[in-house]
Structure formats: structure tokens, C-alpha cells
Amino acid sequence: MISARQPDSSDLLQWYDRHQRVLPWRARLGEIPDPYRVWLSEIMLQQTTVVAVKPYFEKFVTRFPDVFALADAPSEEVMQAWAGLGYYSRARNLHACAKQVAYEFGGVFPDNEAELLKLPGIGPYTAGAITSIAFNKPAVAVDGNVERVMTRLFALTDPLPGVKGQVREKALSLLPEGRSGDFAQALMDLGATICSPKKPACSICPWMELCLGRRQGIAETLPVKAPKQVRPTRLGAIFVIERKDGAILVETRPPSGLLGGMAAFPSSQWAEDYDLSKAMLDAPMELRWKRLMGEVKHVFTHFQLLLTVYVGRAALDAEAPEGMRWVPRKHIDDEALPSVMRKVLSHAISQI
DNA sequence: AAATCGTGGGA
DNA sequence: TTCCCAAGATT
């Protein structure tokens, strides 16, 4: 049995020098990375595609050019700017982290993983990403791309998340001297463009000859993942109330949990066994309701939601119930409404 | 340590 | 339609 030479980072870095993607948050050749932009982009990119992040990143750096601007912004403005991007705890932690960096660290981000890990919203991946990309200090950023590339390159067949330790060891073993940032970004570019989840383009991969996964014909089956859970369906009733002047009744959801801190229309609880025939009991005020045709369907990570929409018209002098407020129609788009609520609103408007 | 936490796009 | 999943963190 003749063993092939071990993979090393030089093949990857040469490939990266020619094929790296141009991204809004990425320093161009010769530019010095801005830790604020690196941090912001890494938080946004958690479980989120590059395409989805781009417009949000541009919006944020325009509205909040540095960590002080973000720290000093009202939380409502931050949540509003984040609305639609999902995983809203990221926005709350982002704001908390900005305040901490601005007011406790004088606006300077820590340059090592241990200190970064103490900050809200920064976990093992993001700490490694900031350390390597923003400061070019030795660290690896193990994300989904790196898991895929390493399990294939070394034919690691143990399932995730258990195999993560081996993935990290392998990535560390390849870490080049002096180019930690490029190495991290090169692995992500490789995973995003060549070592893709389905139909990897092995023929143009810089590691083609050395890749044990490809040699064994199992590359596309890696990484092995635990079987996914079934997604239950929850039901609920939601109430879109329009005052006679067009204002709409809105509440702010509790600071933590699903859609925490985001704006919403008053609704019942969302449960698998919700009894729609008793929806009126969950209405925020007594009105003459019209139940709209159809339902609003929305898919969350761990359940699917079917919302039945009720619309009602309130008097000009109707007071907003405790914890709720009237939002003038022309300002409704300025609210921190998550996608599911915008879906409800357009469903209601189309039938009013 | 298993659950929780969004969204939109592509196969 | 349905399924998959994308630069994970938190509890």
C-alpha cells in the first residue's frame, strides 16, 4: 500500500489567491481588515446565506458605521434593521456586544479566542473567525463548510456533531504560518463553490488528488448527520385590527424566545391542539370579527405554523390594550416586523 | 446534551 | 410539493 502525500494548505492558498470571492465584508488584497465589519458579518452569516446577508450588511454599515454608532442606537432601531433576517437573538446579542466593546473595551475588539468567547453572541466558530480573519492570528473557524471539507478530505465517517473534534484537529493540522485569515476564508470559499453539499466539483478541486473521500467514492455522502426530527404543525389565531384612521394594533413580543423582542400582531398561543372554535376568547378586544379565507403558512426551524387571520375595525377612540400600541398605517413598515408578521399583514390587506 | 431559534432559495 | 439547508449560539 503506497500512501499519498499528506494534504497541506499551499494548494488551497494558491487556489484562493486566484479564485477568492469578492464580498462586501471581505478586505481586498492589501487592505487591512476592519474587526467591526468582520464581527458584524460573521454574526449575520450564522446559519444564513451570503445572498441573504448582503443587503443587511450594507444597511447596517451605512446606518451604524462603527461599533459606537451601533452601541448608541436604540434597540428598537437595531431590531427593525434586523427584521427579516431571522434568529433574532443574534440582533439582541449583537447590540449587547457592541455596548460592551464600545464602553468596556474603548471600541477595540479582543484579538484572541478566549476573550472573544466571553462576549454575547460569539461562540467557538465566531471567535475563531474573528481571531483569524480580523487579526490574522492562528485560529481555525470550524463552520459547516469546514466540517464538510475536512470530513471529505480525510474521509471522517463518524456522524456530526460528534466528529467535530476530529474536524477541528484536522483543520488545525493544516493551518499555515502567517496566513490564518486567508486559510479560514479559503476553506469557506472552497466549501461554498467546489466542495458543495451536493454534486461537488471534485475535478477542479485543488485537493482532488489527496482527497480520501473522493478516492473512496464517498465524498458526496459526507459529512454524516443524525437523522432529522419531524416538524410538527402548530395552529393559532391572529388578529389584525385596523382603527378607523388606518392605524394598526401592534405589540412587542417578550425579549426572549421565539421572535423575541420583535413586533407582532396580537395572537393566540400557537399549539398543535389549538381549538380554533374558541379563537374569539383570545382576541385582544371585543369587536365584530371577520375571519379571512385561507391561512398564513410559515415554516420555522422546528415547527410549521398555520395562522387563521381575523380582521376587525376599531373606533377612533379605542384604547390600545395593555402592552399594545396603535401604529399609523404609513409607519407600519418601520416596525420590527418579522417575516411571518409581514406575511400576515399582506394577507389581511389583500382581503380588507 | 438535546432543544430551541428564521428565512428564502434551489433541487 | 417537499426536502434540504446556510460562515451557530444558547440553555
Side-chain angles (χ1 to χ4, degrees):
Chain A
M1 181 80 65
I2 297 179
S3 63
R5 73 181 170 94
Q6 293 298 305
D8 67 75
S9 55
S10 60
D11 295 322
L12 176 70
L13 290 172
Q14 286 178 35
W15 171 83
Y16 181 70
D17 288 337
R18 286 185 293 122
H19 298 291
Q20 63 178 272
R21 290 176 292 175
V22 175
L23 299 170
W25 46 84
R26 182 173 282 182
R28 307 290 293 264
L29 197 59
E31 279 182 354
I32 298 171
D34 176 358
Y36 172 70
R37 293 168 65 96
V38 172
W39 163 71
L40 177 61
S41 66
E42 290 302 340
I43 301 297
M44 288 184 165
L45 286 161
Q46 290 167 4
Q47 297 291 285
T48 310
T49 59
V50 165
V51 175
V53 165
K54 274 181 179 172
Y56 283 86
F57 180 80
E58 303 289 7
K59 185 197 317 185
F60 267 72
V61 293
T62 300
R63 273 163 81 162
F64 317 111
D66 55 45
V67 70
F68 296 102
L70 183 55
D72 290 338
S75 62
E76 300 76 33
E77 190 178 343
V78 176
M79 300 310 288
Q80 190 276 334
W82 196 278
L85 196 55
Y87 285 143
Y88 298 103
S89 66
R90 291 185 297 172
R92 300 191 298 273
N93 287 331
L94 182 86
H95 199 202
C97 184
K99 289 174 190 273
Q100 207 167 323
V101 170
Y103 300 130
E104 295 180 25
F105 303 154
V108 180
F109 279 86
D111 65 353
N112 62 87
E113 290 178 282
E115 293 302 314
L116 286 164
L117 274 172
K118 297 178 183 173
L119 295 170
I122 297 182
Y125 161 75
T126 306
I130 296 174
T131 301
S132 58
I133 298 173
F135 300 106
N136 197 32
K137 292 186 61 184
V140 291
V142 179
D143 70 332
N145 289 302
V146 177
E147 288 168 357
R148 191 165 57 251
V149 171
M150 290 300 139
T151 54
R152 288 175 177 178
L153 185 59
F154 295 100
L156 308 177
T157 54
D158 290 351
L160 284 171
V163 78
K164 214 157 188 171
Q166 298 179 58
V167 167
R168 179 178 176 77
E169 285 177 26
K170 291 300 187 184
L172 276 170
S173 75
L174 295 175
L175 184 63
E177 195 92 16
R179 291 190 71 181
S180 301
D182 287 343
F183 179 65
Q185 296 177 94
L187 283 179
M188 294 179 205
D189 279 16
L190 188 73
T193 63
I194 289 180
C195 197
S196 46
K198 282 167 278 186
K199 311 221 171 181
C202 298
S203 63
I204 57 172
C205 179
W207 276 332
M208 171 180 68
E209 294 178 11
L210 307 157
C211 180
L212 293 182
R214 187 196 62 80
R215 290 180 152 214
Q216 298 176 16
I218 58 173
E220 196 169 355
T221 71
L222 300 174
V224 177
K225 296 183 179 180
K228 36 238 152 231
Q229 303 291 317
V230 289
R231 190 154 25 210
T233 297
R234 297 185 191 174
L235 309 174
I238 191 161
F239 305 90
V240 179
I241 305 169
E242 185 185 28
R243 207 166 57 180
K244 295 228 189 287
D245 63 355
I248 294 175
L249 191 63
V250 165
E251 67 180 356
T252 299
R253 293 175 61 89
S256 65
L258 186 69
L259 306 178
M262 301 299 286
F265 306 113
S267 76
S268 69
Q269 296 216 314
W270 305 341
E272 295 182 52
D273 60 352
Y274 182 70
D275 185 358
L276 263 176
S277 70
K278 298 191 170 101
M280 295 303 96
L281 300 177
D282 294 316
M285 48 202 310
E286 292 193 18
L287 289 178
R288 179 187 180 86
W289 297 107
K290 177 187 177 188
R291 174 181 173 167
L292 298 188
M293 296 178 298
E295 295 166 309
V296 171
K297 178 177 173 178
H298 193 76
V299 180
F300 291 97
T301 305
H302 54 294
F303 68 93
Q304 179 179 50
L305 180 63
L306 290 180
L307 286 176
T308 298
V309 181
Y310 291 82
V311 295
R313 190 168 290 268
L316 262 184
D317 62 353
E319 281 189 36
E322 177 69 27
M324 303 184 189
R325 60 186 186 276
W326 293 107
V327 176
R329 185 64 160 268
K330 64 172 67 72
H331 291 149
I332 194 68
D333 285 332
D334 300 328
E335 288 292 313
L337 288 170
S339 291
V340 61
M341 292 300 152
R342 294 186 186 274
K343 219 180 271 188
V344 167
L345 182 61
S346 62
H347 188 253
I349 288 177
S350 70
Q351 292 190 41
I352 286 181

